[in-house]
Amino acid sequence: MNTTTAFTVAALMLVASIGNLSLGQDDVSLIKDNSFAEGFGAAFIYGSEYSGGRRPPLGEVTEYRDISPWRVFLIPDGPVKKVGVKTHPWDFQEGLHHNFKDKTGNLVRELHAHRLIVNHTIEENSPERLQFAQFNNYRLPKGHPDRDTKLVKRVTTDRQGTLRLYYNSQNEIRNAATGHSAKWARDTWPHFLVNQRMMEPIPLAEFQRLDFRVSFQVDRMKKLSNWPNAIRGAARSGMNLKFMFFLRNPDVLEQKLFAGMMLFASNEKRYAPHLGIEQHGNVFYRDSITSGGKPVPKLSEQRTVEVDVRKLVAEALRQGHEKQPELSFDPEKYAIYNFSIGFEGMGHWETEAEISGLSLTGVRK
């Protein structure tokens, strides 16, 4: 990054921080880099040591694991061996693909090529825009005519708070799951989530309110095939845009849950509030943007969502207790460890969305 670019990005981040000064004396902004100006770091799974400990991973990454011959990159900084150890607020969750045989019969223990932080192309890096993309070039040699023809993901930020996400799950490097069950816990269905792991967990007990806000619009949600609908017992093909908070009880780490909201779905039946157990055995509760009689959002319509996260978590715990009685009912026992927003689904879909105005404001007691 040249001097001019660095100065401009720093100025944008300063403007964002000055904007937070309008908060009340007891209010605090809890999402870092909500202008998406700084860049994107490696997911926590690529850290081997953390300033706050490994179980669970807390604080900044102090060391990355060796994934030779692959390399971990920070976006747009470059390979970590050159730029050094650094933690950006945002990273990506892109599913898990472990221990399978690829089309050539080779055992793949972990598909690093599936992740942006390992496999991406910077398309623009200017003060006004950062854009990067991932193409499915898996096992294609240099010079092959099919290289850079299968676009999987593209991320664009204006570095002032607007982020655009494109995802084609048919072009994914690995997409084999036909269900949401524990069978697929190590070979997960398509995910493309922008993720922020809290450097310090956010205790709900410290705040009388936690106000979350985001604007979004989905400009494309196109079904590309019927797979896996023809397979007996398979989940129905579908794609959605959602956000989710991950919480733990710091005193009893086994007590954990997801609480979030469905923002846009390919099937209107998906808008119903939903309680379940995800593939790793954790309770999740997903409210709906249509709750309270609100209309289903349309393509290219911008909608704004405002949620009191304390109330959302309280409802998740009230219902979640039916699935896991050992969960504490009390929201004040929990802290937020993670936030994500983006696409998740099943099958082959091309989808594109824009998010903006994202914030999480805590009103202290």
Side-chain angles (χ1 to χ4, degrees), residues 53-72:
R54 284 189 293 173
R55 296 183 180 180
L58 295 175
E60 296 186 350
V61 177
T62 57
E63 185 178 327
Y64 294 98
R65 61 190 175 102
D66 183 7
I67 60 169
S68 300
W70 297 97
R71 293 191 296 172
V72 173

Side-chain angles (χ1 to χ4, degrees), residues 7 16 31 36 71 85 120 144 152 174 181 207 253 356 361:
F7 176 80
I31 291 284
F36 300 103
R71 293 191 296 172
V85 175
H120 68 271
H144 194 285
V152 182
R174 175 74 176 173
S181 67
F207 300 93
L253 292 177
S356 61
T361 303

Side-chain angles (χ1 to χ4, degrees), residues 75 92 94 113 115-124 130-137 148 150-156 166 192:
I75 303 174
F92 298 99
E94 300 168 271
R115 299 181 184 278
L116 278 169
I117 208 67
V118 175
N119 175 15
H120 68 271
T121 299
I122 301 288
E123 297 181 322
E124 183 176 341
L130 171 62
Q131 180 172 293
F132 49 97
Q134 180 192 83
F135 296 87
N136 184 350
N137 293 324
D148 296 342
K150 293 183 178 180
L151 177 62
V152 182
K153 301 159 190 159
R154 176 171 279 129
V155 179
T156 309
Y166 170 92
F192 184 28

Side-chain angles (χ1 to χ4, degrees), residues 5-251:
T5 301
F7 176 80
T8 306
V9 172
L12 289 172
M13 296 174 70
L14 177 61
V15 168
S17 66
I18 290 174
N20 287 335
L21 295 179
S22 60
L23 299 173
Q25 185 176 358
D26 296 325
D27 299 353
V28 57
S29 179
L30 297 169
I31 291 284
K32 294 184 178 179
D33 190 24
N34 54 10
S35 59
F36 300 103
E38 183 177 329
F40 299 83
F44 76 91
I45 63 167
Y46 285 116
S48 58
E49 298 292 340
Y50 302 85
S51 61
R54 284 189 293 173
R55 296 183 180 180
L58 295 175
E60 296 186 350
V61 177
T62 57
E63 185 178 327
Y64 294 98
R65 61 190 175 102
D66 183 7
I67 60 169
S68 300
W70 297 97
R71 293 191 296 172
V72 173
F73 292 77
L74 304 181
I75 303 174
D77 314 59
V80 297
K81 287 189 176 180
K82 289 187 177 181
V83 302
V85 175
K86 184 177 182 181
T87 300
H88 284 307
W90 295 106
D91 56 55
F92 298 99
Q93 289 186 2
E94 300 168 271
L96 301 168
H97 300 300
H98 290 252
N99 299 323
F100 66 92
K101 288 185 178 180
D102 66 13
K103 293 180 180 178
T104 62
N106 292 296
L107 178 64
V108 180
R109 296 197 180 280
E110 184 176 359
L111 186 56
H112 298 294
H114 170 72
R115 299 181 184 278
L116 278 169
I117 208 67
V118 175
N119 175 15
H120 68 271
T121 299
I122 301 288
E123 297 181 322
E124 183 176 341
N125 180 19
S126 69
E128 295 79 24
R129 191 160 89 149
L130 171 62
Q131 180 172 293
F132 49 97
Q134 180 192 83
F135 296 87
N136 184 350
N137 293 324
Y138 188 61
R139 294 197 172 275
L140 294 178
K142 290 184 178 180
H144 194 285
D146 290 337
R147 284 187 67 87
D148 296 342
T149 60
K150 293 183 178 180
L151 177 62
V152 182
K153 301 159 190 159
R154 176 171 279 129
V155 179
T156 309
T157 169
D158 65 0
R159 291 179 144 145
Q160 297 188 61
T162 298
L163 187 73
R164 180 164 285 270
L165 302 173
Y166 170 92
Y167 184 37
N168 184 321
S169 63
Q170 188 173 47
N171 287 343
E172 241 326 346
I173 296 167
R174 175 74 176 173
N175 183 2
T178 59
H180 302 276
S181 67
K183 174 183 176 181
W184 301 103
R186 302 296 281 176
D187 199 358
T188 312
W189 50 91
H191 281 61
F192 184 28
L193 306 172
V194 185
N195 181 74
Q196 184 159 145
R197 181 177 58 85
M198 307 308 174
M199 294 297 100
E200 295 183 8
I202 301 170
L204 269 62
E206 292 186 4
F207 300 93
Q208 59 179 330
R209 283 216 330 269
L210 287 166
D211 296 326
F212 173 76
R213 185 182 189 279
V214 68
S215 298
F216 72 93
Q217 65 184 59
V218 174
D219 294 316
R220 186 182 337 215
M221 191 163 279
K222 181 180 179 182
K223 189 177 181 180
L224 300 177
S225 85
N226 283 325
W227 181 86
N229 290 357
I231 299 175
R232 184 177 180 180
R236 299 288 295 178
S237 175
M239 185 60 68
N240 62 68
L241 178 73
K242 67 173 188 178
F243 71 80
M244 199 67 74
F245 290 93
F246 174 66
L247 302 99
R248 285 181 184 266
N249 181 342
D251 297 322

Side-chain angles (χ1 to χ4, degrees), residues 284-301:
F284 74 89
Y285 171 74
R286 190 178 62 221
D287 198 357
S288 172
I289 192 172
T290 62
S291 293
K294 299 182 181 67
V296 169
K298 300 177 181 178
L299 279 175
S300 298
E301 173 195 0

